Amino acid sequence: MGFSVSASVAIIFAATLIAFGMFHTAAFNTVERVTDARNAAEDDLLTQQNTAIAIHNATYDDGNNSLIVTVNNTGASELTVEGTDLIVDNEYQTSFTERSVDGDAGTDLWLPGEQLRYNVSATSQPDRVKVVSGPGVSSTEVVVRG
C-alpha cells in the first residue's frame, strides 16, 4: 500500500493539473475572442450611428445621356469613395464616367461636409437612385430630368 498509492495519487494529481491547464487555456482564448468580437461590433455600431449621407440631387441629362448624382456626407464619419455604392433602378453600378469628391477624382477619402459626385452613362431616364455607404447607411432619391 505504500508506493503504489502514492504513485497513483501523484499521477491523478498531475493529470488533474494538466487537464485544468488545458481547460483554462481554451476557455480564456474563447472569452478573449468573444470580447474582441463584441468590441468590434460596438465600434461598427458607433461608426454607423455617426454616418449620415444625403443625396443632394439626381439629374438625368438626355442631351448627354448621363445621370449625375451628387451626395453630401452630412455625418461625422469619414467614408471612402470605393466603399460607397451607387444603385440605379435596382442595378449595381460599376462603371462611371466620373466619380469625384469636391472635384478631385484622384482621392478615395470622402470627409464630412464634402460632396461626392457620380456621372454615369444612361440611355434612358432612370426612376430612382440609391447610394449606400460603407457602414451601411443609405439615401434614396427620385431622378429628375435636367
Side-chain angles (χ1 to χ4, degrees), residues 38-98:
R38 283 187 179 157
N39 290 339
E42 288 173 2
D43 290 345
D44 290 345
L45 181 62
L46 181 62
T47 300
Q48 190 176 41
Q49 289 173 340
N50 287 328
T51 301
I53 60 174
I55 296 179
H56 182 263
N57 66 15
T59 307
Y60 177 72
D61 183 2
D62 55 357
N64 294 333
N65 287 338
S66 65
L67 171 67
I68 299 170
V69 180
T70 54
V71 189
N72 295 325
N73 183 349
T74 57
S77 297
E78 59 185 47
L79 304 170
T80 62
V81 175
E82 196 63 36
T84 305
D85 300 320
L86 176 65
I87 301 167
V88 178
D89 281 345
N90 295 324
E91 289 187 27
Y92 181 75
Q93 300 298 306
T94 57
S95 61
F96 307 100
T97 307
E98 175 194 7

Side-chain angles (χ1 to χ4, degrees), residues 12 16 19 25 28 31 36 46 59 63 67 77 92-93 95-96 100 110 123:
I12 291 173
T16 303
T25 302
F28 181 75
V31 168
D36 289 346
L46 181 62
T59 307
L67 171 67
S77 297
Y92 181 75
Q93 300 298 306
S95 61
F96 307 100
S100 63
W110 183 22
T123 56

